[in-house]
Amino acid sequence: MDNDSRTQKSLKNIFSSFYTYFLNIILQFLNRTIFLAYLSIDYLGINGLFSNLISMLNLAELGIAGAMVYALYKPLAEQDTDRIKSLMYLYKKLYSFVGIFVLFVGFLITPFLGFFINGNSSNIKYLKFYFILYVVDTGISYFLSFKRSIIICDQKQYIINRITIIRIILTNVFQIIILIFTRSYALYLLVKIFCTLIENIIVTLTANHKYPFLKEKANMPSKKDVKEISKNIMAMSMHKIGTVVVFSTDNLIITRFVSLAATGIYSNYTLIINALNSIIGQFFQSVTASVGNLIAKENKESEHVYQVFRNILFINFIVYLIISIGIFFSINSFICFWVGKKYVLDKLTILCIVLSFYTLGMRKTIMMFKDADGLFWNDRYKPILEAFFNLFFSIPLAIHFGIAGTLMGTIITNVFVAGVIETYVTYKYLFRKKIKNYYVIQIKYFLTLFFLLSILNNINFYTNNYLIDFILRGLIAIILCLIVIFIIYRKNNEFKYIKYVVLNLISSIHSKK
């Protein structure tokens, strides 16, 4: 496969992912608005709490998906159907076990939900039943969801996105109807279970149609493949633990050491942040398959592979810089417009949200290349350190600074633990280059962020309309970012590459018209 083909598939996946998740964001905000109008803030709190508990249960997945996706890159590139069949057979066996385990453990911990809530949990009736519905939704997905991986690995994310759009529309429309006419949280959750199940069934049927050999009888992979996959799963399981502890315990810590209501208020912000991360994540997910194909087919130590990394890192920076600055300057105006002034967080917490968002986001490119090259084993101990230091810092800081303190712990871990180890492993084993070059780039990028934050922190204006205030602040943030990026980086090779791609894309669209 040539570079143009990879680029075209990546762009197709990216654009389909963007409009899928843009639609998802709009419907989620509408859904949340109706949710707050018909149910109390405590229900919003348990939504956040349950999501984090389910993430803990998902530890049972042990990074199987990451290891299996990496194993599929080469046979898909070589069209080795026998090997693909055997790998998917193993994938099915592993995910079936995980599904059973999640259901069993989920039911087991249900009686102890009160431990995670600071205060009286009896304000929410049927708390345990609601959690069981969450567990069922997650557990049954494992029995059907594994086949979507082969479609994504084959650089056809856009197919999954078409199915996802249908699920998003149906889920949100029916949940809103349920809230308006019944105010039933149980029916609200049942709608989600049903629509998720239907989506997974359609994805499975689509995979069987696109890859008919998957319906044929398959055997276990070779001992060599099983050994390699087992090694990667062992390494990825540590990564999974670290990821869950760092990014899925914030609501648990806030609920336990602050309050359930604080979790509900913070969840409005996390809905926005997660929506933005989902959109950006689609870019990286869409490109990852092409990066895996590139590394599988070319000399991974070549300058071409490294320059592709630099180009994507610069795109990574531009996207996270603009959005981070936009969040800092305009998110409270949006919250006031959307749910009301009483749900607004203080400026320190907003700054911590922005820095947490940015520091995590700037790890995405290095993680993408590391995972695409299968370097799971080389940094297998990183997640343990990451998890330890996150809890070590977040819990005491949460007690003293509330929500902001929880995020401070995550920021420290992102920068000084996870970021350092991931970069060291990728530069040593993939690029085989001096690591200081990367830190020079990242420091320059961070100083740009700090410079823009300093400017906007000293700009104070308010209008009588929260929506107009939000729009004006967003426009100022975007325009200022673009001006600063152009002035500082216009002579960089990465800037020139992006300019070339954008002009080609515009030319291509114009010629089609």
Side-chain angles (χ1 to χ4, degrees), residues 263-278:
T263 303
I265 293 170
Y266 177 59
S267 71
N268 289 327
Y269 288 82
T270 56
L271 175 64
I272 298 169
I273 299 302
N274 291 339
L276 293 170
N277 270 322
S278 294

Side-chain angles (χ1 to χ4, degrees), residues 205-236:
L205 294 173
T206 303
N208 289 339
H209 176 71
K210 294 285 181 182
Y211 312 95
F213 56 82
L214 292 178
K215 294 182 287 186
E216 299 172 4
K217 185 177 179 181
N219 299 313
M220 286 290 288
S222 66
K223 290 183 178 179
K224 181 182 178 182
D225 277 343
V226 171
K227 184 179 178 181
E228 182 67 21
I229 290 168
S230 299
K231 179 181 176 182
N232 285 337
I233 288 176
M234 187 181 299
M236 287 297 290

Side-chain angles (χ1 to χ4, degrees), residues 132-282:
I132 286 172
L133 292 179
Y134 259 84
V135 171
V136 169
D137 181 46
T138 302
I140 61 174
S141 294
Y142 282 106
F143 297 99
L144 293 169
S145 64
F146 68 97
K147 284 191 177 179
R148 73 176 58 224
S149 294
I150 190 172
I151 300 174
I152 295 170
C153 285
D154 202 22
Q155 304 179 71
K156 295 176 181 176
Q157 173 76 36
Y158 58 89
I159 294 175
I160 299 295
N161 290 338
R162 291 169 186 166
I163 301 168
T164 301
I165 285 176
I166 298 171
R167 190 262 303 166
I168 289 170
I169 294 172
L170 291 177
T171 302
N172 284 281
V173 168
F174 283 113
Q175 283 186 328
I176 288 170
I177 292 171
I178 288 295
L179 287 173
I180 292 172
F181 289 99
T182 70
R183 299 192 180 209
S184 171
Y185 188 57
L187 291 176
Y188 180 88
L189 296 178
L190 284 169
V191 166
K192 184 175 183 294
I193 294 172
F194 178 76
C195 291
T196 301
L197 182 62
I198 295 299
E199 179 192 20
N200 284 324
I201 291 172
I202 294 172
V203 168
T204 300
L205 294 173
T206 303
N208 289 339
H209 176 71
K210 294 285 181 182
Y211 312 95
F213 56 82
L214 292 178
K215 294 182 287 186
E216 299 172 4
K217 185 177 179 181
N219 299 313
M220 286 290 288
S222 66
K223 290 183 178 179
K224 181 182 178 182
D225 277 343
V226 171
K227 184 179 178 181
E228 182 67 21
I229 290 168
S230 299
K231 179 181 176 182
N232 285 337
I233 288 176
M234 187 181 299
M236 287 297 290
S237 65
M238 296 184 184
H239 287 273
K240 187 79 174 180
I241 292 169
T243 300
V244 168
V245 172
V246 174
F247 302 113
S248 298
T249 56
D250 282 356
N251 282 341
L252 291 175
I253 293 171
I254 295 167
T255 304
R256 185 68 184 89
F257 295 102
V258 186
S259 70
L260 186 62
T263 303
I265 293 170
Y266 177 59
S267 71
N268 289 327
Y269 288 82
T270 56
L271 175 64
I272 298 169
I273 299 302
N274 291 339
L276 293 170
N277 270 322
S278 294
I279 291 177
I280 303 168
Q282 293 315 298

Side-chain angles (χ1 to χ4, degrees), residues 9-25 152 155-165 168 275-288:
K9 286 187 175 181
S10 294
L11 288 172
K12 191 172 184 180
N13 290 332
I14 289 166
F15 284 122
S16 70
S17 296
F18 278 171
Y19 65 67
T20 299
Y21 278 82
F22 184 72
L23 173 65
N24 188 34
I25 287 171
I152 295 170
Q155 304 179 71
K156 295 176 181 176
Q157 173 76 36
Y158 58 89
I159 294 175
I160 299 295
N161 290 338
R162 291 169 186 166
I163 301 168
T164 301
I165 285 176
I168 289 170
L276 293 170
N277 270 322
S278 294
I279 291 177
I280 303 168
Q282 293 315 298
F283 166 79
F284 289 97
Q285 186 175 340
S286 301
V287 173
T288 298

Side-chain angles (χ1 to χ4, degrees), residues 84-100:
I84 294 170
K85 281 194 301 182
S86 64
L87 289 171
M88 292 301 292
Y89 176 76
L90 175 61
Y91 202 169
K92 179 182 178 181
K93 291 286 185 184
L94 292 172
Y95 256 34
S96 297
F97 172 77
V98 172
I100 293 169

